Amino acid sequence: MRGWWREISGLVLPVDCGGCGSPRTPLCEECAWALYGTAARRARPVPEPAGLPVVHAAAPYADAVRAVLLAHKERGALGLARPLGVALAGAVRAGLPRVAGPLLLVPVPSARRAVRARGHDAARRIALAAAGELRRTGTEARALPVLRQWRAVADQSGLTARGRVANLAGALEVVAGGGRLLGRGRAVLVDDLMTTGASLVEAARALRAAAGPRFPRPLQLSAAVVAVPPISFEMNRN
C-alpha cells in the first residue's frame, strides 16, 4: 500500500527540487548540473578493499547531490529516478567507453527490511532508469536484478570499513537461473552510493561465484555508482 501511494503521489502532488527546494520542479538546472553536468570519473574508497571492481562515479556525495539521493531513497521522491538514472548511465559509459553492448546492469540489493520501510528499492529503480537512458542513446542495455540477500546483516552505520566488509561477507547470492543470464552480456554492478566499497565487494564475489565454470573465462566485472564521498572522487582527477 505504501509503495502504491508513493507511485501515485509522485505523479499528482506538487513537487519541489530534490536538491535545493526550488518550487515547481523536481530538479532545477543548477542541481541537475551538480548531479550529471561534469564528467564521470574513476573512484576509489579510502582504504580500498580487496576484491573491489573498477568503479566509476558520476558526482561527489555532497550538497545538492546528497540531498537528491536522500530525497529519492528515503523520502520517496520517485520522480528523481530518471535524472539519477541519467547520472548513473554516464558513470557506466565512463567505465566502458568503447563497449557495444549488451550491458547488464546488476543493482546491489538493499536489505529487505529497508525496502519495506522505504516502500521501494532505490538501486533497482535507478538501474532501470539508467538502462533506459543507455538504450535511448544507442547502447543495448537492460537491468538484471539477480542478486538477493539470503541472510540478515547488521546495520552498516557505525561500522568501520573493515567491519562492513566482514558484516556483508557471504550475505549475497544470485537467484536461481541468474548465472545463466550473466553470460548474455557484460555485467556492470550499479548502486546509488559507494562509501567504503563493502557492498560492491560482496556483490562482485557473489556474481563471480555464480558464473563459476559456466564461462570459458573469468567473469569480467566493472561497477558504476551515482555518487561517492568527495575524497574518493576528487583524488582521482589526474
Side-chain angles (χ1 to χ4, degrees):
M1 185 69 173
R2 182 176 182 180
W4 172 86
W5 170 245
R6 284 187 167 179
E7 293 281 358
I8 298 299
S9 63
L11 294 175
V12 301
L13 295 181
V15 294
D16 296 332
C17 175
C20 66
S22 296
R24 295 185 297 279
T25 177
L27 190 67
C28 72
E29 290 185 7
E30 185 174 347
C31 292
W33 178 260
L35 182 61
Y36 51 74
T38 58
R41 62 187 64 157
R42 177 78 182 271
R44 292 182 174 94
V46 182
E48 185 172 355
L52 182 71
V54 173
V55 183
H56 282 76
Y61 185 63
D63 303 326
V65 173
R66 180 179 184 274
V68 169
L69 282 170
L70 290 175
H72 176 258
K73 178 185 283 186
E74 304 294 348
R75 299 197 295 277
L78 303 184
L80 294 172
R82 187 178 183 281
L84 287 168
V86 171
L88 181 59
V92 171
R93 290 192 202 96
L96 303 167
R98 292 177 295 277
V99 72
L103 294 179
L104 306 175
L105 307 189
V106 182
V108 176
S110 299
R112 292 176 184 174
R113 63 179 180 275
V115 173
R116 287 194 299 268
R118 294 167 181 154
H120 72 121
D121 188 327
R124 181 170 180 168
R125 187 178 293 274
I126 296 172
L128 288 166
E133 173 65 13
L134 288 165
R135 291 193 299 270
R136 188 186 68 80
T137 53
T139 299
E140 185 180 356
R142 61 176 291 202
L144 191 68
V146 294
L147 285 171
R148 69 175 182 181
Q149 279 197 356
W150 71 270
R151 68 166 176 83
V153 297
D155 187 349
Q156 294 278 82
S157 61
L159 296 179
T160 64
R162 182 177 297 179
R164 290 188 176 202
V165 171
N167 181 44
L168 290 174
L172 300 182
E173 67 177 4
V174 172
V175 299
R180 173 177 50 82
L181 295 175
L182 290 171
R184 298 181 180 178
R186 170 65 184 258
V188 183
L189 285 165
V190 296
D191 208 348
D192 56 352
L193 175 66
M194 176 183 74
T195 50
T196 66
S199 296
L200 290 173
V201 167
E202 172 56 17
R205 181 210 61 78
L207 290 189
R208 294 185 181 113
R214 291 185 179 89
F215 295 171
R217 58 186 179 183
L219 180 67
Q220 292 184 322
L221 277 178
S222 58
V225 297
V226 175
V228 294
I231 188 173
S232 299
F233 192 74
E234 294 170 357
M235 70 179 293
N236 296 292
R237 285 180 175 174
N238 297 321

